[in-house]
Amino acid sequence: MRYLRELEKETSSLENVPVTYSFVTKYITAVIGQKNATNPFLRGLLLQIFAYHGYDSLKVCVFTNREQEKFWEDIKDCPYFWNDERTLRFFGTNSDEINQISSYFEEMLAALREANQDRNNGGTSKVEMKLSTRYLIITDDVDLVRNVSVIRSLVESETYIGISLIMITDKLNSLPNEVEHFISVDERMGTVFERVISDSKRVNFVPDFMYG
């Protein structure tokens, strides 16, 4: 038994293996770094997401600004960025566009809350329902979305409801206090860590950058 415990300690972490990360269990994540690192990291991340998820089961929403809009130019019209009816594109660069998209999400969340309330009042075991389609909201301008209603709803939510949020910034202190999961990247190395930093919860990795 003592040998097994020692073996467990020695193999608790492995080197030179892929690092997995769940944006479902860690549904609020901050990506921290300079644009020359976070932009190609984000492209590589989206490539992997698109490879494993169809646009009928996952939608991607981007809240950005005019300066950064060009970064999204070649992908913002792909099916992942539209609702099923193609009447709304999940891409906002100003307050009016962002608030319109936020209202769309808030209507869905209100219907979900009502369905959960009816389910629980009916005596069914309390299992929170989630949105049938998964959504990933990405913002690279934290200040622009700080008071957007759907962002506030997400950062204050205690459970995953079908929407994940990635906030990209170069300033750790610009993030909402509720953010607990972080990915930092520079041109050579990345680190996954949590608000309560410890060696056991800090994982270094080599990012998959995609330039273009």
Side-chain angles (χ1 to χ4, degrees), residues 11-204:
T11 59
S12 60
S13 62
L14 300 175
E15 296 181 358
N16 299 319
V17 296
V19 173
T20 60
Y21 190 94
S22 173
F23 290 103
V24 172
T25 56
K26 301 175 181 179
Y27 55 92
I28 308 293
T29 296
V31 176
I32 306 165
Q34 300 298 317
K35 292 295 183 186
N36 62 347
T38 58
N39 278 356
F41 173 73
L42 185 57
R43 280 190 177 275
L45 178 63
L46 286 173
L47 179 63
Q48 295 182 57
I49 290 173
F50 293 163
Y52 288 102
H53 301 276
Y55 59 80
D56 55 340
S57 61
L58 173 71
K59 302 296 183 183
V60 177
C61 171
V62 169
F63 295 149
T64 186
N65 54 49
R66 292 295 186 187
E67 294 180 0
Q68 186 70 0
E69 182 179 9
K70 187 177 180 181
F71 170 77
W72 302 96
E73 193 66 34
D74 58 341
I75 59 174
K76 68 180 183 180
D77 285 324
C78 75
Y80 290 92
F81 287 77
W82 291 86
N83 64 349
D84 290 336
E85 297 76 23
R86 289 190 69 85
T87 57
L88 179 66
R89 184 172 63 178
F90 301 122
F91 187 84
T93 60
N94 57 58
S95 296
D96 289 340
E97 293 173 346
I98 291 172
N99 286 330
Q100 180 186 8
I101 298 169
S102 178
S103 296
Y104 177 91
F105 280 112
E106 285 296 337
E107 288 180 10
M108 286 196 303
L109 294 180
L112 183 65
R113 294 186 193 102
E114 184 176 350
N116 276 323
Q117 185 175 2
D118 291 343
R119 180 186 178 93
N120 293 331
N121 289 341
T124 308
S125 57
K126 190 172 182 180
V127 177
E128 294 293 323
M129 298 171 62
K130 300 177 179 61
L131 297 173
S132 56
T133 300
R134 291 184 176 182
Y135 294 85
L136 173 62
I137 298 178
I138 303 171
T139 181
D140 51 18
D141 190 332
V142 176
D143 291 331
L144 182 63
V145 303
R146 192 173 302 279
N147 296 316
V148 173
S149 57
V150 67
I151 300 299
R152 292 308 314 168
S153 295
L154 291 177
V155 298
E156 293 172 1
S157 176
E158 296 181 356
T159 59
Y160 173 72
I161 55 178
I163 306 176
S164 301
L165 173 64
I166 298 177
M167 310 183 84
I168 304 168
T169 182
D170 58 355
K171 299 176 181 177
L172 186 62
N173 59 6
S174 70
L175 295 165
N177 294 330
E178 294 87 348
V179 180
E180 296 184 349
H181 306 290
F182 307 88
I183 301 173
S184 68
V185 291
D186 59 30
E187 293 177 305
R188 293 184 300 175
M189 186 62 66
T191 304
V192 175
F193 63 98
E194 298 184 9
R195 177 171 293 278
V196 179
I197 300 177
S198 66
D199 290 340
S200 63
K201 294 184 177 181
R202 177 185 290 271
V203 179
N204 294 326

